Amino acid sequence: MDPAITSSSNPVVKRFRKLHRARGRRETGFTLLEGPTLFALAADAGVIPEAVLMGESDEATQVLCAERGWEPVLVLADVLGRAAESIHPQSPVVMIAIPPPSPMRTRDTLILRDVSDPGNVGTMIRSAAAFGWDVCISGASVDPWSPKVIRAGAGAHFALQISSSHDPISDARNLGLETVATIVSDGLDPARGEQPVALLIGSENSGLSPEDIGRADRTLTLPMSGETESLNAAVAASIAMYALGRL
Amino acid sequence: MDPAITSSSNPVVKRFRKLHRARGRRETGFTLLEGPTLFALAADAGVIPEAVLMGESDEATQVLCAERGWEPVLVLADVLGRAAESIHPQSPVVMIAIPPPSPMRTRDTLILRDVSDPGNVGTMIRSAAAFGWDVCISGASVDPWSPKVIRAGAGAHFALQISSSHDPISDARNLGLETVATIVSDGLDPARGEQPVALLIGSENSGLSPEDIGRADRTLTLPMSGETESLNAAVAASIAMYALGRL
C-alpha cells in the first residue's frame, strides 16, 4: 500500500493543522488525538473518527480500523508530523468531533476557574475520571479539547462528563451542590456535608479570585507538614478529590 | 549599563549550554535555574550562584544580586535565550552547583524507580517537600537536577533532601524503613506500621518491576471509584504521600 498523501500542502493536512489552534477547533467543532493508546481508548468509548492519518507499518491502527470499518489514510512520516500537534507524534493522528458540553449535574464536580496549563487541565480530567467526578470548565481555563489537554488526559476525556459554565457557582448552587473553594493556606480541612461537592480550583499563579472565595459555601486547604506549602495545581485538585471521596 | 555579552558564541554561553545535557551536568557538577521566582527561592535557601546572566530591565535580579554582593552579567535577549534551557526563558538564567546527594535517612522517603518524565519528577519533589518527605532517586529515573525538573519542582529542591541509591530497597530496610510498593491495581489500601515509610514509585509506562514488588514489605493501591483506574504518576505518588501522612 503506497502512501495516499505525500505532501504537507495536501488540503487534508491543512484541515488537521487548523485544529492545532483553539480558533480552528471552535470554528470546525473538531479536534485531534494522537497515538495508538488514545485512539484505542476513544474507539472503545464509542468515538467515531472523522479522519485517521497513519504512518507506514502502524499495524495496530490498520487492524483497529479494519475491525470497525474505518478507512485510514496512509501518509509519509513528515506529513504525519505536520498534521500532528505534538513534536514527536505517534501514529495515528485522528480527527474527532468534539462532544457537545454536557450540563452540570447533581454530582461531585471539579470546577476549573482560569486553569491555564494544558498539562494541568488534562491531569485534572484524568484524576476526576479515576475518582468518579464530573469536570466543569469556566473562566479563562484552557480549552479542554486541545490536543495537549487530551494527551495529558490519557483517555479520561471519554470516561466522564465535561461541562462548561459562565457562572459555575450559581449553576452548582441551583443544583444543590455545596461549593468549596480550594485555597493555598488558612482554609478548612477537607470536609463535606450531605450534598455533592462543587470543588473550585483557581489559576496556577494566583489561585481563586477573592470574589469566588467569598461566594463559596466553605474553603478547603490541604493539611501540609513540610517546609514549603506549595503543590502543583493538578496535584492539589487531585488530592482534594481523593480526600473528599474518603469522607 | 551596556550588555557585557552580545554574542551567543561567547565562552560563558557555551558553559551554560553544556548544562542542558545530563552529561554536561555530570562532568561539571553544575546545573541551571531560570526565572526570578526560582532564583529568589534558591537564594533564600542559601544557594550561592556560580554565575548569573540577566536580560535588560530585570530589576528584581539587579536588586537581589546587589543585596547579596553577587555580580550578574547583563546579556542581550537572544544570548539569554541561547544560554537558557527552556524555550521561552525568563531572566535570570543562573548557574548553580548541584548539591552532593544526601544519604537516605530514617524518615518517610519517596523512592523513584525509573520515573522518566522530568515534569513528573519535579512535581513529586514539590509534593514531597510540601508533605515533609525526603526523595531518593534510583534506577533509570531522570536526573533530578535537570533544568526541566528544577522548574517543575518550583523551588522544592532547596527545601528537602535528595538522595540516590543503586539498591534503595536494601538501603531503606537497613535504616528500618517499611518498604511500600505502589501498584496500579489489586494492592492494599494505604496503611503504615510504626516505622517511617519508603514509598516506591515505578515508571510511568510499566510501573514497578515484579522484583521490586516482591521485595517490598507491602503494597499500596489508591482506592478509586471512577470508570478508569489511571492516575498520572506524580498525582498517584502525591496522593499516596498525603494519605500515608494522615494515618
Side-chain angles (χ1 to χ4, degrees):
Chain A
M1 184 168 155
D2 282 331
I5 301 182
T6 56
S7 159
S8 296
S9 57
N10 185 292
V12 173
V13 176
K14 285 192 182 153
R15 255 187 93 199
F16 272 70
R17 287 185 65 76
K18 192 173 180 183
L19 307 180
H20 297 189
R21 274 181 288 198
R23 187 175 157 186
R25 295 190 294 274
R26 220 169 27 238
E27 285 175 3
T28 62
F30 290 105
T31 188
L32 301 181
L33 53 87
E34 299 174 16
T37 311
L38 270 178
F39 185 38
L41 285 168
D44 283 348
V47 174
I48 296 170
E50 171 77 5
V52 180
L53 303 187
M54 59 175 254
E56 293 175 280
S57 72
D58 177 358
E59 248 178 74
T61 295
Q62 225 163 352
V63 169
L64 179 61
C65 288
E67 282 172 7
R68 310 266 173 160
W70 300 333
E71 289 183 9
V73 177
L74 190 65
V75 301
L76 289 180
D78 64 328
V79 174
L80 196 80
R82 291 273 300 166
E85 191 271 343
S86 68
I87 298 169
H88 302 291
Q90 279 187 289
S91 176
V93 179
V94 181
M95 187 185 297
I96 62 166
I98 296 172
S102 325
M104 205 186 282
R105 301 186 290 180
T106 305
R107 186 183 166 127
D108 285 343
T109 302
L110 182 69
I111 297 178
L112 277 49
R113 304 285 285 153
D114 312 329
V115 180
S116 60
D117 181 84
N120 282 342
V121 172
T123 301
M124 290 184 198
I125 288 172
R126 186 174 178 183
S127 295
F131 294 127
W133 288 50
D134 284 353
V135 166
C136 173
I137 306 287
S138 66
S141 295
V142 79
D143 173 15
W145 290 99
S146 91
K148 280 194 184 69
V149 176
I150 294 176
R151 212 175 307 136
H157 283 71
F158 311 111
L160 51 59
Q161 294 213 5
I162 302 176
S163 62
S164 75
S165 170
H166 291 294
D167 185 358
I169 296 182
S170 295
D171 289 356
R173 195 157 283 151
N174 290 338
L175 285 165
L177 303 180
E178 183 180 32
T179 54
V180 177
T182 311
I183 55 181
V184 172
S185 55
D186 301 323
L188 305 174
D189 275 5
R192 67 186 302 158
E194 298 286 301
Q195 314 117 276
V197 167
L199 183 68
L200 299 157
I201 299 284
S203 92
E204 289 90 345
N205 290 325
S206 49
L208 289 169
S209 70
E211 197 204 335
D212 277 358
I213 297 170
R215 287 178 69 201
D217 296 321
R218 70 165 92 199
T219 60
L220 181 157
T221 295
L222 294 169
M224 288 179 237
S225 51
E227 283 182 49
T228 66
E229 285 198 343
S230 155
L231 289 170
N232 165 278
V235 166
S238 302
I239 296 178
M241 285 189 282
Y242 173 84
L244 290 170
R246 308 304 296 162
L247 295 173
Chain B
M1 182 168 154
D2 283 332
I5 301 182
T6 56
S7 160
S8 295
S9 58
N10 185 292
V12 174
V13 176
K14 285 193 183 154
R15 257 187 91 200
F16 273 69
R17 286 186 64 77
K18 192 174 180 183
L19 308 179
H20 297 187
R21 275 182 287 198
R23 188 175 157 186
R25 295 190 296 273
R26 219 168 29 237
E27 284 175 5
T28 62
F30 290 105
T31 187
L32 301 182
L33 52 87
E34 300 173 15
T37 311
L38 270 177
F39 185 38
L41 286 168
D44 283 348
V47 174
I48 296 169
E50 171 77 5
V52 179
L53 303 186
M54 60 175 251
E56 293 175 281
S57 72
D58 177 359
E59 250 177 74
T61 296
Q62 225 163 350
V63 169
L64 179 60
C65 288
E67 281 171 8
R68 310 265 173 160
W70 301 332
E71 290 182 9
V73 178
L74 189 64
V75 301
L76 289 179
D78 64 328
V79 175
L80 196 80
R82 290 274 298 168
E85 191 270 344
S86 67
I87 296 169
H88 302 290
Q90 280 187 287
S91 175
V93 180
V94 181
M95 187 187 296
I96 62 167
I98 296 171
S102 326
M104 206 187 284
R105 303 186 288 181
T106 306
R107 187 184 164 126
D108 287 343
T109 302
L110 182 70
I111 298 178
L112 276 48
R113 305 284 287 154
D114 312 329
V115 181
S116 60
D117 181 83
N120 281 342
V121 172
T123 300
M124 289 184 198
I125 288 172
R126 186 173 177 181
S127 295
F131 295 127
W133 287 50
D134 284 352
V135 167
C136 174
I137 306 287
S138 65
S141 295
V142 78
D143 172 16
W145 290 98
S146 92
K148 279 194 185 70
V149 176
I150 294 176
R151 212 175 307 136
H157 283 72
F158 311 110
L160 52 57
Q161 293 213 5
I162 302 177
S163 62
S164 75
S165 170
H166 291 294
D167 184 359
I169 295 181
S170 295
D171 289 356
R173 196 158 280 151
N174 290 338
L175 285 165
L177 303 180
E178 183 180 34
T179 53
V180 177
T182 310
I183 55 180
V184 172
S185 54
D186 301 323
L188 305 174
D189 275 4
R192 68 186 302 157
E194 298 286 302
Q195 314 116 278
V197 168
L199 182 69
L200 299 156
I201 299 283
S203 92
E204 289 90 345
N205 290 325
S206 49
L208 289 169
S209 69
E211 197 204 335
D212 277 357
I213 297 170
R215 288 178 68 201
D217 296 321
R218 71 165 90 197
T219 60
L220 181 157
T221 295
L222 294 170
M224 288 179 237
S225 50
E227 283 181 50
T228 65
E229 283 196 346
S230 155
L231 289 171
N232 165 278
V235 166
S238 302
I239 296 178
M241 285 190 282
Y242 173 83
L244 290 170
R246 308 303 296 161
L247 296 172

